[in-house]
Amino acid sequence: TKRFLAIPQAYLGIAFGFGIPMGFTAQLGTYPPVGWWLLAANIFWAIAYDTEYAMVDRNDDIRIGIKTSAITFGRFDVAAVVISYAVMLAILVYVGVDRAFGWAYYAGLVAAAGTMVYHYFLIRGRERMPCFKAFLHNNWTGACIFAGILGHYALKGAWPRW
């Protein structure tokens, strides 16, 4: 997609996130609306973290003529990362409200938001190594979200059947 599409990071999010509809369908035999919200959150997350990576390779990508979100967003690349993270978090808050998740879930989201703020401070200068560090640090973002989900169900004493 880097040869033909302006923001291949969105297609990466679709590809990486397609386990969401597959998992729901395999477990439930149907695909509930919450699944679409989770897929959308995953796409925005991929745009955010992979734009951080694309900021590392921007000069090389321009030289060899491929497209990335960092090139497409141009001087608004940092804003695009922050907005993508914000949309992802907003969707996850909506899902939490819709599913009546408890405080542990939201604590995980707050911790994840903290990692995203840290990423902003890393990428705002658009320097290669700090941008790469932000990209790599996304495993902690995911760990915070996972810990919130795990904490919610552990405290509730039940695991979901959505």
Side-chain angles (χ1 to χ4, degrees):
T1 60
K2 286 184 172 188
R3 296 277 177 212
F4 308 106
L5 303 170
I7 305 176
Q9 287 71 15
Y11 301 96
L12 176 75
I14 293 168
F16 282 4
F18 218 74
I20 297 167
M22 290 171 34
F24 270 111
T25 304
Q27 287 297 306
L28 302 177
T30 186
Y31 191 61
V34 69
W36 292 113
W37 288 110
L38 292 173
L39 180 59
N42 188 79
I43 292 167
F44 279 101
W45 188 15
I47 291 170
Y49 72 71
D50 209 48
T51 299
E52 292 170 343
Y53 185 77
M55 291 167 72
V56 174
D57 292 336
R58 182 191 336 252
N59 294 337
D60 296 332
D61 293 344
I62 290 170
R63 187 174 43 79
I64 61 175
I66 62 174
K67 298 172 173 67
T68 70
S69 55
I71 295 168
T72 301
F73 295 137
R75 66 187 178 101
F76 300 106
D77 54 355
V78 173
V81 169
V82 171
I83 290 167
S84 294
Y85 277 140
V87 170
M88 176 192 126
L89 281 174
I91 292 170
L92 292 178
V93 166
Y94 170 78
V95 168
V97 169
D98 183 61
R99 297 286 138 185
F101 283 0
W103 68 267
Y105 174 75
Y106 297 104
L109 293 185
V110 168
T115 68
M116 296 168 190
V117 170
Y118 174 60
H119 296 178
Y120 165 75
F121 285 105
L122 288 172
I123 69 172
R124 67 184 175 170
R126 296 179 177 86
E127 297 170 15
R128 289 175 67 113
M129 290 316 295
C131 289
F132 189 57
K133 186 175 182 178
F135 166 74
L136 291 175
H137 193 260
N138 269 277
N139 62 336
W140 291 106
T141 305
C144 292
I145 296 166
F146 177 74
I149 294 168
L150 184 67
H152 166 73
Y153 286 110
L155 291 171
K156 186 176 174 183
W159 298 101
R161 285 285 303 161
W162 295 94

